[in-house]
């Protein structure tokens, strides 16, 4: 199979390229980092790149929270306009299979349960609550404490920042393309991906990268809130393997199928910071109590559908992955 990998020179995309080639596929890199003319927003360039292609792995995106709402137009341009241009070109050239780099950020806050009211969806956390150090969302009905639970793919979307909004728009565009053309599409909703080649020292990188960069400078990782926010840290090689499995699958035509893509092992951000510090031999993390308004408290999802339907299994455990990442 000949696969065009947009963003194929980037963090996740480069691992997808390696995974595909290891399984005997031809992976074609399309990335402005490798060729300044390879902009996914350029219709003519995208059409040329699609010649002879059987499927597309769409990894090209602007990621992370960035520097605030001032980045909104750039996020929309790179993520949503770029996706629209790619899908239009695929419709014109007859390429009918796409795997999208989705994200768990489309859910907003995770799933919560109240002892009295069952499953509830708390709204965005208020600035006053965060500033007072009250980080846990409360039941929107009675104000009681909540228990975080796993999110399934049928949970309502509730994006809480610009990046999350563009990732949901990418899914809507892809679903519309699949319906209009009778094509098959998969969105792999990545959790917190980490591993070799993760960008360093940029506001668009993930939290694991921030901590590793601090340790490399001999500084203590600075953990926001109280460090107890739950995430699912999934290794980039496992994410790449999920992409290969999705590209080799035969999903339903005319629709978008979403799969949560996580390790299945929730850990707190504080745990992750301590694991990296121990593996690196650096200073212990410092819990700062600071916060970012666009962050959610807990988001961990159930990846059972991906395991059951595509036969994918994560292979890199938390301790092994963090030890490797700390040295990379």
């Amino acid at each position: 199979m000949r696969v065009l990998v947009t963003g194929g020179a980037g963090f996740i995309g480069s691992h997808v390229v390696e995974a595909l080639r290891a399984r005997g596929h031809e992976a074609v890199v399309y990335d402005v980092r490798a060729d300044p003319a390879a902009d996914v927003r350029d219709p003519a360039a995208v059409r040329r790149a699609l010649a002879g292609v059987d499927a597309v792995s769409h990894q090209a995106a602007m990621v992370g929270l960035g520097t605030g709402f001032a980045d909104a137009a750039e996020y929309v341009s790179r993520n949503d306009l770029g996706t629209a241009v790619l899908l239009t070109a695929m419709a014109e050239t007859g390429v009918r299979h796409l795997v999208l780099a989705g994200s768990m950020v489309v859910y907003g806050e995770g799933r919560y349960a109240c002892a009295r009211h069952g499953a509830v969806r708390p709204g965005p956390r208020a600035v006053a609550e965060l500033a007072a150090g009250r980080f846990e969302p409360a039941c929107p009905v009675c104000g009681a404490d909540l228990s975080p639970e796993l999110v399934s793919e049928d949970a309502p979307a509730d994006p809480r920042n610009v990046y999350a909004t563009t990732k949901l728009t990418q899914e809507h565009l892809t679903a519309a393309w699949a319906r209009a053309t009778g094509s098959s599409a998969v969105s792999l909703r990545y959790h917190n991906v980490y591993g070799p080649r993760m960008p360093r020292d940029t506001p668009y990188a993930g939290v694991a990268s921030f901590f590793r960069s601090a340790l490399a400078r001999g500084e203590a990782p600075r953990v926001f809130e109280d460090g107890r926010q739950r995430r699912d840290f999934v290794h980039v090689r496992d994410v790449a393997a999920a992409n290969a499995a999705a590209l080799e699958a035969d999903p339903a035509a005319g629709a978008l199928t979403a799969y949560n893509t996580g390790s299945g092992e929730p850990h707190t951000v504080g745990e992750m910071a301590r694991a990296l510090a121990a593996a690196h031999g650096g200073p212990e993390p410092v819990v700062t109590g600071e916060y970012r308004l666009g962050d959610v408290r807990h988001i961990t999802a159930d990846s059972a559908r991906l395991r059951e339907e595509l036969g994918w299994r994560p292979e890199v455990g938390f301790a092994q992955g963090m030890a490797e990442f700390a040295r990379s």
Side-chain angles (χ1 to χ4, degrees), residues 98-234:
L98 174 76
V99 173
L100 172 68
S103 176
M104 55 80 188
V105 295
V106 301
Y107 298 120
E109 282 287 353
R111 177 183 172 90
Y112 293 87
C114 172
R116 289 183 58 195
H117 298 101
V120 295
R121 293 185 59 80
R125 296 181 294 172
V127 172
E129 294 293 308
L130 294 169
R134 292 187 289 269
F135 303 119
E136 294 287 347
C139 175
V141 181
C142 67
D145 293 340
L146 299 174
S147 299
E149 298 183 341
L150 298 180
V151 180
S152 62
E153 288 90 348
D154 58 359
D158 186 15
R160 299 288 176 90
N161 55 58
V162 172
Y163 169 62
T165 302
T166 65
K167 296 307 289 183
L168 182 58
T169 300
Q170 283 185 311
E171 287 197 357
H172 288 321
L173 288 167
T174 301
W177 164 81
R179 286 193 299 271
T181 61
S183 301
S184 60
V186 168
S187 177
L188 296 175
R189 291 175 175 169
Y190 302 159
H191 279 263
N192 290 68
V193 186
Y194 74 97
R197 300 174 215 149
M198 194 173 188
R200 292 176 182 262
D201 303 317
T202 164
Y204 303 96
V207 65
S209 181
F210 296 156
F211 292 164
R212 182 186 61 178
S213 293
L215 290 163
R217 297 190 300 268
E219 301 171 2
R222 295 177 58 81
V223 180
F224 280 13
E225 301 189 17
D226 58 6
R228 297 175 185 169
Q229 54 271 48
R230 287 160 49 99
R231 298 291 187 270
D232 184 326
F233 300 99
V234 59

Side-chain angles (χ1 to χ4, degrees), residues 3 11 21 38 50 75 102 152-153 159 163 174 204 215 220 226 250 254 283 307 312-313:
V3 181
F11 167 42
R21 290 174 178 168
L50 287 170
Y75 272 105
S152 62
E153 288 90 348
Y163 169 62
T174 301
Y204 303 96
L215 290 163
D226 58 6
D250 186 22
R307 291 165 169 79
W312 170 84
R313 296 288 185 278

